[in-house]
Amino acid sequence: LGYEDDIRAIPENGMHTAEKSLVHAAENIIKNQMIQVDTLSFDNPSLKVFWNYIESVALGDRLRDLDDDDYVDDTQLNVEGILASCGVQIDAFRDALPEDEIEGKKRKVAELVEDTSGIDWYEEFENDTLGELRLDDLKMYLRSVGERVSGRKMDVIDRIKDHIRAKIREVEEKGGISL
């Protein structure tokens, strides 16, 4: 933590500031939101269900079904209301974003590696003996087919089984008999 008298200049290296059009679009979204919340009578629907159960146990009554009127969830996001009040502003904000910020991160493409283990994977699959193989060999198979290799041994085995099942289905659909 810094001290009160520790005053330093903020470095401008790598700092990004939003363009004025983007800031203006964000301000318009905020201005067009009409959020009406009554903080004095804010009901939690989970507590309603819980107290309904407690009441039925304490009084020895049957658990009554909560009607839709009794079970209004004030904690749920009202997407339709938001879009009705500021859908145009949200679209304008999205249009003001730079292209690279809209797209998500792209996963690195795995490099295929030749399987040099000498294992007959379909025989191991059929005999259900994949669990007896070494983890390094299992991961080598996954690398050779471009699948993820992370996780526990059981996760790796499940991925191999899924891949082999998919290959078997693919061959069966093509009418072939060999893998």
Side-chain angles (χ1 to χ4, degrees):
L1 295 175
Y3 295 97
E4 183 178 359
D5 60 343
D6 185 13
I7 302 172
R8 296 180 231 169
I10 299 174
E12 293 189 23
N13 300 4
M15 290 190 59
H16 302 283
T17 56
E19 296 177 11
K20 290 197 184 283
S21 61
L22 189 60
V23 172
H24 182 67
E27 288 173 346
N28 283 337
I29 291 175
I30 294 168
K31 288 178 186 174
N32 283 289
Q33 282 295 300
M34 301 300 280
I35 300 173
Q36 299 172 354
V37 177
D38 183 8
T39 57
L40 298 177
S41 65
F42 186 80
D43 292 327
N44 185 330
S46 298
L47 286 178
K48 278 187 179 181
V49 171
F50 175 73
W51 284 114
N52 181 33
Y53 172 75
I54 294 294
E55 186 178 81
S56 70
V57 170
L59 300 176
D61 292 338
R62 248 184 79 233
L63 184 64
R64 67 183 175 93
D65 292 332
L66 292 176
D67 298 332
D68 289 338
D69 296 335
D70 290 340
Y71 194 74
V72 175
D73 190 354
D74 295 329
T75 62
Q76 289 293 317
L77 183 64
N78 181 0
V79 176
E80 293 84 19
I82 291 172
L83 291 176
S85 67
C86 68
V88 173
Q89 289 78 15
I90 292 173
D91 290 338
F93 180 78
R94 188 179 299 126
D95 292 340
L97 285 173
E99 286 298 318
D100 60 7
E101 290 186 26
I102 293 175
E103 297 174 10
K105 286 185 175 180
K106 293 185 179 176
R107 194 171 147 213
K108 182 180 163 185
V109 177
E111 183 178 325
L112 297 182
V113 178
E114 183 181 348
D115 179 12
T116 58
S117 65
I119 297 172
D120 185 352
W121 293 101
Y122 297 103
E123 181 180 330
E124 298 291 336
F125 172 77
E126 290 295 325
N127 296 333
D128 199 23
T129 55
L130 290 170
E132 298 172 10
L133 299 174
R134 294 179 332 145
L135 185 59
D136 289 341
D137 292 332
L138 297 170
K139 287 184 175 185
M140 183 181 295
Y141 174 80
L142 288 176
R143 284 187 190 99
S144 73
V145 296
E147 292 285 332
R148 288 186 316 121
V149 296
S150 62
R152 297 174 300 153
K153 185 174 183 177
M154 289 309 301
D155 297 334
V156 171
I157 291 171
D158 288 341
R159 245 178 260 130
I160 291 173
K161 287 180 179 179
D162 291 343
H163 183 265
I164 292 175
R165 282 187 201 108
K167 284 293 193 186
I168 291 171
R169 272 193 306 273
E170 183 181 315
V171 169
E172 288 173 351
E173 288 173 2
K174 291 181 180 178
I177 55 172
S178 66
L179 297 171

